[in-house]
Amino acid sequence: HHHSHPALLAAAAPVLTARILRQQLSAREVACVAWVYARLQRYEPRLFSAVLREAITHSDRYNLRHWSRLAWAFSTLSLPSEEAFFVRLEQLQRQQELLLAGREERMRSRLKNRMLLRVQSVLDSKFRVL
């Protein structure tokens, strides 16, 4: 990639690795670091091993967006990632689907209630005329 600066990326890797291992980066930052290195086709073994360890150890800090970024980064660089990685990604996707399904259900019942109230008020006004 013509915009990448290999020397800069190589120099930054140990610093980022140390910060990840000390848990000084947020889940979003960890996911972004992995994404950037993968986007620029730069594989730094220690960095990616720290990313993987951090994501699996503190998986509760990572949401679906973080996990999909990490999955994209690992697959872009054709890196083997542990089974736990994909198990967690599937769990989060399922949770997200359930959440959306629940939200849809709530919206539907709210709409139904609103319609019933509207029908009721129309009926009330009709019967008042009679």
Side-chain angles (χ1 to χ4, degrees):
H1 201 278
H2 59 277
H3 291 304
S4 72
H5 301 280
L8 179 64
L9 291 170
V15 178
L16 290 166
T17 303
R19 293 198 63 192
I20 290 169
L21 292 174
R22 281 192 231 115
Q23 288 163 40
Q24 293 173 335
L25 296 185
S26 69
R28 191 182 132 276
E29 290 166 334
V30 171
C32 284
V33 165
W35 185 88
V36 165
Y37 275 78
R39 179 80 181 77
L40 299 172
Q41 291 293 310
R42 286 291 306 186
Y43 173 53
E44 295 288 340
R46 285 206 181 97
L47 175 65
F48 276 89
S49 122
V51 165
L52 188 61
R53 196 173 330 144
E54 153 65 20
I56 288 171
T57 312
H58 302 104
S59 63
D60 52 315
R61 293 172 51 204
Y62 291 76
N63 66 26
L64 188 57
R65 182 175 290 143
H66 304 143
W67 276 101
S68 46
R69 257 192 204 144
L70 290 172
W72 181 86
F74 275 78
S75 66
T76 297
L77 292 172
S78 308
L79 300 180
S81 44
E82 293 165 35
E83 189 60 28
F85 200 77
F86 289 100
V87 169
R88 183 63 185 154
L89 193 53
E90 278 171 27
Q91 278 176 344
L92 281 165
Q93 266 172 321
R94 243 194 318 278
Q95 280 175 15
Q96 190 82 1
E97 283 161 14
L98 289 172
L99 213 81
L100 290 173
R103 208 174 290 154
E104 263 175 44
E105 194 50 51
R106 281 194 301 281
M107 278 177 69
R108 254 198 303 273
S109 68
R110 228 176 282 142
L111 274 172
K112 211 181 291 169
N113 287 343
R114 223 176 287 149
M115 272 165 41
L116 287 173
L117 283 171
R118 212 169 283 144
V119 167
Q120 193 58 55
S121 71
V122 167
L123 289 175
D124 285 349
S125 65
K126 277 231 167 61
F127 286 120
R128 226 176 282 125
V129 173
L130 295 172

